C-alpha cells in the first residue's frame, strides 16, 4: 500500500489540548493554524477566547479523548496531570484504545513512570515531551517514548515545534528537559553572582557585558565543555590538571574579593572544590571521595 501524502496524514491525525495556559494556548493555536482537527479542554470556560482558530473547550478531558488520536496535556503539576488522566471525567475514562497521550508538563521522572503505567493499563501510550521556547511562538520538543508512536504523531509535534528531538524511551524527554533546566537556572545564578561582585567592587556591569561580548565565547558557552568532552581529542580533559590549577587560583581570588566587599559567593564556593572532577568529566557527586571536600575546607588559602 503506498504511503499517505503529508496532507492525507495530517487529515487523519486529530489532536486535543488540555490546559490552555501560556504553553498550551500557544500549542493549540499553532495546531489549529497547521490545519489539524482540534478539540480542547480547560477549567476556564472562556480559556480559548482570544486564541485564534481554537474552539471553545469541551466539557471534560474524556470528551477530548473521544474526539482525538493524540491528547496533549499542558497543566501546572503532577497532581493536575493525575486528575486529567484518572480523575472524574479524566481522559483515560473515555476507554479509547490506541490513544496517544503527549505530556508537556514538567514533572519528576517518577511521575512520568506512574503516568505511563496508568496509560498502558487503559490501552493508551504516553509520550513525555519536555518543551522549551524557541522563538516565533514555537517550541523545542524533547520527546521520550517508542519511535513508531513518535512518528505517528509527528504532524502534531511539527505543528508547534521548531525542532523535535527524540531522546529515547519514555522518560528520556523529561530527563533532557530537567537537565536543560539545570543549565538555565545555574547559569542565572552564576551571572547574578558575577554581576553582584562587579557592581559591589565598583565596576559598571556594562563593562562586564562588553568583555563577555568581545572575548572568545567558547569558555562561557554552556555547550563548550560538553562538546569538548564528547570530542575524542578532548582538549580540556587532556589538560585537566593544568586547567584546574588555574581555576583554583582564579576562584580563590574570587572568594577573597567576595570576603573583602562583603558579598556571599555560594556559586564559587560550590564550584571550586569540584573543578577537577568537572574538567575530567567525572562530575558524579555520590561517587566523590573526601579529597574534594578537603579541598573545600582549605579553599581560601590556595
Amino acid at each position: 500500500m503506498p504511503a499517505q501524502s503529508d496532507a492525507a496524514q495530517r487529515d487523519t491525525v486529530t489532536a486535543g489540548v488540555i490546559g490552555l495556559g501560556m504553553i498550551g494556548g500557544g500549542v493549540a493555536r499553532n495546531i489549529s493554524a497547521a490545519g489539524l482537527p482540534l478539540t480542547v479542554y480547560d477549567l476556564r470556560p472562556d480559556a480559548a477566547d482570544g486564541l485564534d482558530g481554537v474552539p471553545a473547550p469541551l466539557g471534560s478531558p474524556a470528551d477530548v479523548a473521544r474526539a482525538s488520536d493524540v491528547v496533549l496535556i499542558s497543566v501546572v503539576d503532577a497532581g493536575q496531570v493525575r486528575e486529567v488522566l484518572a480523575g472524574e471525567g479524566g481522559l483515560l475514562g473515555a476507554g479509547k484504545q490506541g490513544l496517544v497521550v503527549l505530556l508537556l508538563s514538567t514533572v519528576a521522572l517518577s511521575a512520568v513512570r506512574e503516568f505511563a503505567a496508568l496509560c498502558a493499563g487503559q490501552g493508551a501510550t504516553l509520550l513525555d515531551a519536555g518543551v522549551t521556547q524557541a522563538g516565533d511562538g514555537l517550541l523545542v520538543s524533547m520527546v521520550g517514548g517508542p519511535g513508531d508512536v513518535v512518528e505517528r504523531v509527528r504532524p502534531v509535534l511539527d505543528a508547534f515545534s521548531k525542532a523535535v528531538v527524540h531522546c529515547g524511551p519514555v522518560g528520556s524527554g523529561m530527563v533532557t528537559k530537567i537537565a536543560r533546566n539545570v543549565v538555565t537556572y545555574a547559569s542565572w545564578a552564576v551571572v547574578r553572582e558575577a554581576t553582584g561582585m562587579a557592581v559591589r567592587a565598583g565596576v559598571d556591569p556594562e563593562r562586564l557585558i562588553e568583555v563577555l561580548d568581545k572575548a572568545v565565547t567558547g569558555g562561557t558557552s554552556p555547550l563548550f565543555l560538553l562538546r569538548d568532552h564528547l570530542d575524542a581529542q578532548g582538549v580540556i580533559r587532556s589538560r585537566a590538571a593544568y586547567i584546574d590549577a588555574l581555576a583554583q587560583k582564579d576562584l580563590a581570588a574570587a572568594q577573597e574579593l567576595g570576603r573583602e566587599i562583603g558579598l556571599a559567593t555560594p556559586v564559587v564556593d560550590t564550584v571550586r572544590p569540584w573543578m577537577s572532577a568537572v574538567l575530567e568529566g567525572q562530575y558524579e557527586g555520590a561517587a566523590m571521595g573526601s579529597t574534594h571536600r578537603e579541598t573545600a575546607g582549605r579553599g581560601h588559602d590556595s
Side-chain angles (χ1 to χ4, degrees):
M1 181 180 294
Q4 289 180 309
S5 69
D6 288 345
Q9 186 179 15
R10 282 197 299 271
D11 289 342
T12 62
V13 180
T14 59
V17 176
I18 296 176
L20 297 176
M22 183 175 65
I23 296 296
V27 165
R29 189 171 53 240
N30 283 329
I31 290 173
S32 176
L36 293 166
L38 174 69
T39 58
V40 300
Y41 171 78
D42 194 282
L43 288 173
R44 301 163 295 152
D46 60 351
D49 293 357
L51 296 176
D52 292 344
V54 177
L58 298 184
S60 70
D63 291 338
V64 173
R66 292 185 189 100
S68 306
D69 299 311
V70 53
V71 177
L72 297 82
I73 301 176
S74 181
V75 294
V76 174
D77 56 28
Q80 291 185 0
V81 175
R82 194 174 291 110
E83 185 69 18
V84 165
L85 289 173
E88 183 177 354
L91 65 87
L92 294 179
K96 184 165 184 177
Q97 297 294 303
L99 180 70
V100 178
V101 177
L102 191 62
L103 178 62
L104 303 183
S105 307
T106 302
V107 299
L109 183 58
S110 58
V112 173
R113 292 169 177 151
E114 174 196 343
F115 301 148
L118 275 175
C119 289
Q122 298 298 320
T125 300
L126 180 85
L127 302 178
D128 59 295
V131 294
T132 189
Q133 299 285 352
D136 299 324
L138 297 174
L139 304 172
V140 174
S141 297
M142 300 154 265
V143 186
D148 61 327
V149 181
V150 174
E151 290 308 309
R152 192 192 317 162
V153 302
R154 172 75 66 164
V156 175
L157 288 163
D158 286 343
F160 63 85
S161 302
K162 182 176 182 179
V164 177
V165 181
H166 184 204
C167 300
V170 67
S172 60
M174 202 61 64
V175 169
T176 306
K177 172 65 183 295
I178 291 169
R180 183 264 179 195
N181 285 350
V182 170
V183 172
T184 298
Y185 298 131
S187 297
W188 288 357
V190 167
V191 169
R192 180 67 70 188
E193 185 166 302
T195 303
M197 181 173 290
V199 170
R200 189 167 295 194
V203 175
D204 184 340
E206 290 294 335
R207 302 291 74 76
L208 177 60
I209 292 173
E210 182 178 354
V211 168
L212 292 174
D213 276 344
K214 296 185 181 302
V216 176
T217 58
T220 54
S221 165
L223 297 179
F224 175 68
L225 182 66
L226 177 57
R227 285 177 171 151
D228 186 83
H229 279 184
L230 292 176
D231 184 345
Q233 302 305 312
V235 174
I236 291 177
R237 190 169 54 248
S238 67
R239 303 181 67 198
Y242 171 73
I243 298 173
D244 182 52
L246 295 177
Q248 294 303 319
K249 172 181 63 70
D250 294 345
L251 293 174
Q255 289 173 319
E256 180 179 325
L257 176 58
R259 292 195 300 276
E260 180 180 326
I261 61 179
L263 178 75
T265 56
V267 175
V268 173
D269 295 344
T270 299
V271 168
R272 187 182 171 199
W274 295 97
M275 275 310 302
S276 176
V278 169
L279 295 167
E280 292 169 4
Q282 298 174 351
Y283 191 74
E284 299 171 3
M288 293 300 153
S290 61
T291 300
H292 301 289
R293 288 189 290 272
E294 290 169 1
T295 301
R298 299 194 303 264
H300 296 324
D301 300 325
S302 298

